Amino acid sequence: MKPHQTEKKPKKYAWFLSISAVLAVLTFFVVYFWLTLEDSGRADLLLFFGRFHILLVHLPIALLLLAAIMELFSRFRPFEYLGRSVTFVLVLSATASIASVFAGLMLATGGGYNESLLNSHKWWGIGVTFFTIAALVFKILPISNPKISEIIYGLTLTVAVVSLFVASHLGGSLTHGQNYLIAYMPDQLKNLLRIDMDDNAVMFDNIDEAVIFSDLVFPVFNDRCVSCHNPDRTEGDLRLDSFDHLMRGGENGPAIISRSPDNSDLFLRIIAPRNDDNRMPPGNRRPLADHQIEIIKWWILEGANPELAVNEAKLTPEIETILAQLSGKSPESPVIYDVYVEPADARAVAQLTNAGIVVTPVSREHNYLRSSFVNVEHIDPELVRSLSQIASQLVWLDLSYTPVSDEHLTIISGLHALTRLNLNATQITDEGIKHLGLLENLEHLSLVGTSVSDASLETLSELPNLKNLYIWQTNISDAGYAWLADHNPEIEADRGHVLAKPDTIILPADDEYGY
């Protein structure tokens, strides 16, 4: 055949391939559903075959891309000869796709995956198989109008390739953590493309019934930590692939100390500065998100119980906001959320992000923002002052576990839109609290682990919208607590759990963990 001639399409060969593909699909379905019958031996056999998915999945990826590239280049005269091999490559790709899909379905029966992500990956993978077979059919079985047949063939092949990229991204997210491909994308590019790293967060229809460990805490470990702390790779002799292994700890002793994040080795490592050799995740890997750290800390404070549900735990303002977002709702704040504000300047947000400050939307319905300094290594007054660029939009500020002092509070007092302020474990004193009297919209203030004393109560009692005050491990006395309740009963002051001193190790009682 000369290079410029059109490839002949033998109809007997075409029908044979089409019928074979249909029979292969039906055979796999019969085998799959037969093996899913209740029987432990069949379940093991499912997983045995399912684990071949890791090997098989690369074949359709390579073959489908090869077919698309060959088809594209065959349109140019020097490469017309490639067109004669496209059908054969598509046959191999369709066959490999079918095998890969069913191996994946078998592997999924073993559980342990994010269900929402798994379902998305499954259906996109099935879509790749369907459109690959469709492209093959229109390639070898042209309809009466060759031009229409060619157009449909091109469209189905294109859709198959696009579906392949989506399915591959979701598969990478399943095995390596969500947003795997874009995890280390430069922040400037994320802002330009308006990529929100929390877009794939699992949403709950009824967040109150969620079990804190299995639904909120363990998925974080599974996505971000298990790759280095699993049966095959156990860094620091610590495994995080199950609750029991987590509580056993590692070479440095217990990883979690019930009700005491300050003494929990794992928590101290995830909040350590970037330059700390003990930081988790290590090196330049993306740190845990602010809301993920907050959930882990909350779970530890509530007793690190594997069975505890959200509706059985005590909620802090920060946790209420996080849970509202996970259920697809906007956190309520009647003081200023009814007032429209312009979006924050994108360049200002990018500047703050480049300095290590986390800046994210409070919700998608408003232009209000929340910010955290959890990843900032060194906090100087000018860095805090840079928040003034988003003063109209910033309603939630988390400075916990940072070296913030009274000097910084003089600047923070100018952030007039703040409704929530977290100063836990900072270096502030009664002198600095005086500056907070200017924050008229402040509703929730957390001072856990600070040296604040009764001397600050008068200032705090005069904050017009303050509703929740957290004063665990402070120098506020019982008499001061009673005085505040008497002078401003609208403020709910919470003294919470008595946390251990930094040099104290509390051994958990067995019955706290549901053993």
Side-chain angles (χ1 to χ4, degrees):
M1 182 185 291
K2 295 181 181 180
H4 63 276
Q5 288 181 319
T6 303
E7 178 189 1
K8 294 182 179 179
K9 307 180 189 295
K11 290 192 174 182
K12 289 184 179 179
Y13 175 57
W15 279 108
F16 173 77
L17 286 176
S18 301
I19 294 173
S20 297
V22 172
L23 289 176
V25 171
L26 291 176
T27 301
F28 268 104
F29 265 113
V30 170
V31 173
Y32 171 71
F33 285 113
W34 179 80
L35 288 174
T36 53
L37 295 175
E38 294 184 4
D39 183 275
S40 59
R42 291 175 181 175
D44 289 343
L45 194 59
L46 274 176
L47 291 179
F48 170 73
F49 286 118
R51 293 197 172 191
F52 283 93
H53 176 72
I54 307 301
L55 298 176
L56 294 172
V57 73
H58 297 92
L59 294 176
I61 294 175
L63 291 169
L64 181 58
L65 290 178
L66 177 62
I69 292 171
M70 291 173 65
E71 186 64 58
L72 178 63
F73 275 83
S74 70
R75 306 306 168 116
F76 301 97
R77 185 170 293 276
F79 302 102
E80 284 182 338
Y81 65 93
L82 292 175
R84 296 195 295 271
S85 302
V86 171
T87 300
F88 177 67
V89 176
L90 280 176
V91 169
L92 295 179
S93 179
T95 304
S97 294
I98 293 170
S100 177
V101 163
F102 282 97
L105 291 172
M106 294 176 190
L107 181 61
T109 62
Y113 298 98
N114 181 309
E115 287 297 325
S116 175
L117 203 57
L118 177 63
N119 285 331
S120 297
H121 174 60
K122 177 180 69 176
W123 288 111
W124 278 102
I126 291 174
V128 172
T129 303
F130 174 81
F131 285 106
T132 300
I133 294 175
L136 175 61
V137 169
F138 283 104
K139 177 73 172 174
I140 61 180
L141 289 176
I143 57 180
S144 57
N145 190 325
K147 289 185 178 180
I148 295 178
S149 178
E150 187 73 13
I151 291 173
I152 296 176
Y153 163 67
L155 287 175
T156 52
L157 184 60
T158 301
V159 173
V161 171
V162 172
S163 300
L164 175 68
F165 280 108
V166 177
S168 299
H169 169 62
L170 294 172
S173 297
L174 268 177
T175 55
H176 300 287
Q178 294 191 32
N179 296 310
Y180 176 68
L181 293 180
I182 60 175
Y184 297 102
M185 181 185 289
D187 291 327
Q188 297 90 333
L189 185 56
K190 288 178 190 173
N191 292 330
L192 178 65
L193 299 177
R194 297 185 179 276
I195 292 177
D196 183 354
M197 293 298 289
D198 289 336
D199 276 351
N200 287 336
V202 178
M203 293 295 172
F204 293 86
D205 293 331
N206 190 348
I207 192 69
D208 291 337
E209 295 181 359
V211 177
I212 300 174
F213 178 75
S214 60
D215 293 329
L216 302 178
V217 174
F218 182 72
V220 177
F221 294 154
N222 195 42
D223 283 345
R224 305 299 310 284
C225 310
V226 167
S227 60
C228 295
H229 298 278
N230 58 67
D232 300 318
R233 181 181 178 186
T234 312
E235 296 288 344
D237 199 28
L238 174 66
R239 285 176 58 179
L240 297 176
D241 54 320
S242 73
F243 174 78
D244 290 342
H245 286 108
L246 166 65
M247 300 311 294
R248 286 193 190 113
E251 63 183 20
N252 294 317
I256 299 293
I257 300 298
S258 173
R259 303 194 187 282
S260 184
D262 292 342
N263 287 327
S264 297
D265 184 65
L266 184 144
F267 182 74
L268 294 176
R269 288 174 182 270
I270 64 177
I271 65 170
R274 285 184 178 180
N275 59 355
D276 192 322
D277 293 337
N278 294 319
R279 178 188 177 91
M280 287 181 57
N284 292 322
R285 296 184 184 181
R286 182 168 56 91
L288 268 61
D290 184 40
H291 73 276
Q292 294 172 332
I293 294 175
E294 197 67 36
I295 285 176
I296 294 172
K297 179 173 68 174
W298 173 52
W299 175 67
I300 296 173
L301 284 170
E302 289 297 314
N305 187 324
E307 306 296 336
L308 186 69
V310 169
N311 57 16
E312 299 170 332
K314 194 167 191 175
L315 306 184
T316 64
E318 291 84 356
I319 291 298
E320 287 178 350
T321 299
I322 293 170
L323 296 180
Q325 292 176 324
L326 290 178
S327 59
K329 301 175 183 177
S330 299
E332 297 180 1
S333 184
V335 174
I336 62 172
Y337 282 172
D338 291 335
V339 179
Y340 174 80
V341 294
E342 295 291 334
D345 182 73
R347 289 173 297 180
V349 173
Q351 179 185 344
L352 295 170
T353 302
N354 291 337
I357 302 173
V358 178
V359 180
T360 55
V362 169
S363 74
R364 302 187 182 190
E365 289 80 18
H366 305 286
N367 293 321
Y368 291 107
L369 302 172
R370 61 177 179 174
S371 178
S372 171
F373 278 58
V374 67
N375 298 323
V376 179
E377 298 177 13
H378 176 69
I379 298 179
D380 59 51
E382 287 307 310
L383 185 60
V384 177
R385 199 182 309 278
S386 63
L387 292 174
S388 62
Q389 302 175 85
I390 56 172
S392 297
Q393 295 82 15
L394 185 60
V395 293
W396 183 15
L397 178 60
D398 187 354
L399 296 168
S400 60
Y401 296 92
T402 65
V404 164
S405 63
D406 295 342
E407 180 183 12
H408 301 94
L409 292 188
T410 61
I411 303 169
I412 293 170
S413 64
L415 302 175
H416 58 86
L418 283 181
T419 63
R420 301 173 186 260
L421 178 60
N422 188 339
L423 297 171
N424 294 351
T426 56
Q427 300 171 10
I428 63 170
T429 68
D430 294 322
E431 193 62 30
I433 292 294
K434 295 177 181 178
H435 301 293
L436 299 186
L438 299 175
L439 299 177
E440 295 185 352
N441 290 313
L442 196 63
E443 297 178 346
H444 308 279
L445 175 62
S446 194
L447 303 173
V448 177
T450 65
S451 62
V452 172
S453 71
D454 293 352
S456 294
L457 293 179
E458 185 173 353
T459 299
L460 296 175
S461 68
E462 293 176 355
L463 288 170
N465 287 296
L466 189 62
K467 297 176 181 177
N468 299 99
L469 178 64
Y470 296 86
I471 50 176
W472 316 343
Q473 273 196 323
T474 64
N475 294 324
I476 294 177
S477 65
D478 291 343
Y481 177 79
W483 181 91
L484 180 63
D486 182 57
H487 279 70
N488 193 338
E490 297 297 322
I491 298 176
E492 183 179 344
D494 190 344
R495 291 187 289 181
H497 304 296
V498 179
L499 302 182
K501 295 180 180 178
D503 59 351
T504 302
I505 297 297
I506 301 176
L507 296 178
D510 287 349
D511 60 355
E512 288 191 75
Y513 303 116
Y515 293 154

